[in-house]
Amino acid sequence: MKTKIFFILLCIGTAAVGQDSNVSMGYVKTELEKSAVNFAVDYAKNLTQTLAAFKGNTRSLLSFTPEIKVLVGSNDSFNGITAKYVGNIMVFDTTSVGVIHGVPNLGKTFHNFPIAVGFESDQRFTFVNVLTEIGYVPWYQNDKKIWSGFRQTKVGVFLQAGYKKAASDSTQMQEGGAADESEEKTDSGLFRVKLSAGFSPTIYFNKQTKEYGFSLIGNGNIWYDFLNSAVYYKIAGKLRLILKKDYYLDFGYEKGSGAPNFNEGEQFTTNLTIRF
């Protein structure tokens, strides 16, 4: 177990987390060596979008936004649905631009404390996890005092608590990558801590239009289930070919499905992704 945990932490230290809102569809080679199709939606308002609408003369900001992740697929492909409403408490330094004072200083680190309430489920809604979450996600991507390589990373820590409720009377068991392998039992409490980290360096052949290029994207997540003394993980990496601005072709590998099934399988994916 110690070796396994060390391996997961090592991968997290060299992976990436955090994408812009996007939708993707493509081909999957599943844990049971089956061919499948998947469809994914990842929606969340990023920090720069929030700050674009900021007005005021304070060193903090409270914003609210929904975050939705939907992953559904055929055969035994990974799947899961997460929806939550997030209040972001951001603390930052301000600066002056000409005669305008109290402007958020994007050149320094922002301290973001997300507080969320929502739910998780598998694609068949056989159970529903109702969760509350509080976290810390620093935003340092423009902080010139930080090494440029590290500025391409994103890290976060979250404390999650809630309740897992059976939502279906079906006795049909899912197999392979679609199976629920969590130690969390239905009709019982949930209490976890989640760590996320990673990076996504990108090279554009046309920097002005951000068209044509490639990116190496990785992300790593690890959860510790306090109530069941269990460790779960999700490690994913992809080679992204940038076809034009906001249109990509992704070739990926995933080990572990993450919440809510915490399946330990693996799968290979080829997806067309559109960012919005």
Side-chain angles (χ1 to χ4, degrees):
M1 176 60 75
K2 290 183 178 180
T3 302
K4 181 178 180 180
I5 294 174
F6 174 78
F7 171 74
I8 295 168
L9 291 173
L10 180 63
C11 292
I12 286 178
T14 59
V17 65
Q19 304 293 321
D20 292 322
S21 299
N22 59 70
V23 58
S24 63
M25 184 174 183
Y27 165 84
V28 180
K29 194 69 172 180
T30 73
E31 170 71 6
L32 296 181
E33 298 296 326
K34 295 181 179 180
S35 296
V37 295
N38 73 343
F39 177 76
V41 176
D42 189 344
Y43 172 79
K45 184 182 293 186
N46 62 37
L47 178 61
T48 52
Q49 289 175 313
T50 301
L51 292 174
F54 172 77
K55 294 180 181 180
N57 188 19
T58 67
R59 292 177 177 268
S60 62
L61 169 66
L62 174 62
S63 69
F64 295 92
T65 181
E67 291 187 9
I68 302 170
K69 295 179 183 292
V70 178
L71 177 62
V72 294
S74 60
N75 290 326
D76 68 304
S77 59
F78 289 163
N79 67 84
I81 300 170
T82 301
K84 56 187 176 181
Y85 198 66
V86 184
N88 290 290
I89 302 172
M90 284 173 276
V91 181
F92 47 83
D93 287 334
T94 59
T95 187
S96 298
V97 179
V99 296
I100 303 175
H101 305 289
V103 178
N105 189 345
L106 296 178
K108 291 190 176 181
T109 297
F110 283 59
H111 301 282
N112 183 39
F113 301 89
I115 301 174
V117 60
F119 76 90
E120 303 169 341
S121 182
D122 64 347
Q123 68 180 8
R124 300 174 70 238
F125 279 91
T126 54
F127 63 88
V128 174
N129 294 342
V130 180
L131 285 174
T132 57
E133 177 184 85
I134 183 170
Y136 172 62
V137 183
W139 189 79
Y140 45 77
Q141 280 69 25
N142 287 345
D143 194 331
K144 304 302 182 183
K145 293 182 179 180
I146 297 176
W147 176 55
S148 60
F150 189 75
R151 292 202 304 268
Q152 298 183 70
T153 69
K154 186 177 180 181
V155 298
V157 56
F158 307 87
L159 190 65
Q160 302 174 328
Y163 191 81
K164 183 172 185 175
K165 177 66 177 177
S168 172
D169 295 329
S170 174
T171 58
Q172 181 181 355
M173 300 295 293
Q174 295 296 291
E175 59 179 0
D180 178 9
E181 296 184 351
S182 166
E183 296 293 330
E184 298 167 336
K185 308 302 181 184
T186 55
D187 300 317
S188 63
L190 306 173
F191 189 37
R192 327 169 181 139
V193 63
K194 173 186 175 183
L195 303 176
S196 300
F199 70 93
S200 54
T202 302
I203 296 176
Y204 293 105
F205 299 130
N206 189 330
K207 294 184 179 179
Q208 291 183 336
T209 62
K210 293 188 176 180
E211 293 182 330
Y212 312 114
F214 66 92
S215 180
L216 295 174
I217 300 172
N219 61 74
N221 298 280
I222 183 169
W223 294 259
Y224 182 73
D225 176 357
F226 291 103
L227 300 182
N228 299 289
S229 301
V231 176
Y232 314 114
Y233 63 91
K234 177 180 177 66
I235 301 168
K238 68 178 70 171
L239 169 63
R240 166 167 289 178
L241 302 182
I242 303 170
L243 306 178
K244 57 182 300 184
K245 186 177 181 180
D246 300 332
Y247 290 84
Y248 317 112
L249 185 62
D250 296 331
F251 301 92
Y253 170 77
E254 298 174 340
K255 177 65 175 174
S257 69
N261 287 335
F262 295 120
N263 190 288
E264 293 190 355
E266 63 179 2
Q267 64 183 27
F268 295 87
T269 60
T270 303
N271 289 323
L272 177 63
T273 302
I274 301 173
R275 186 174 64 179
F276 58 92

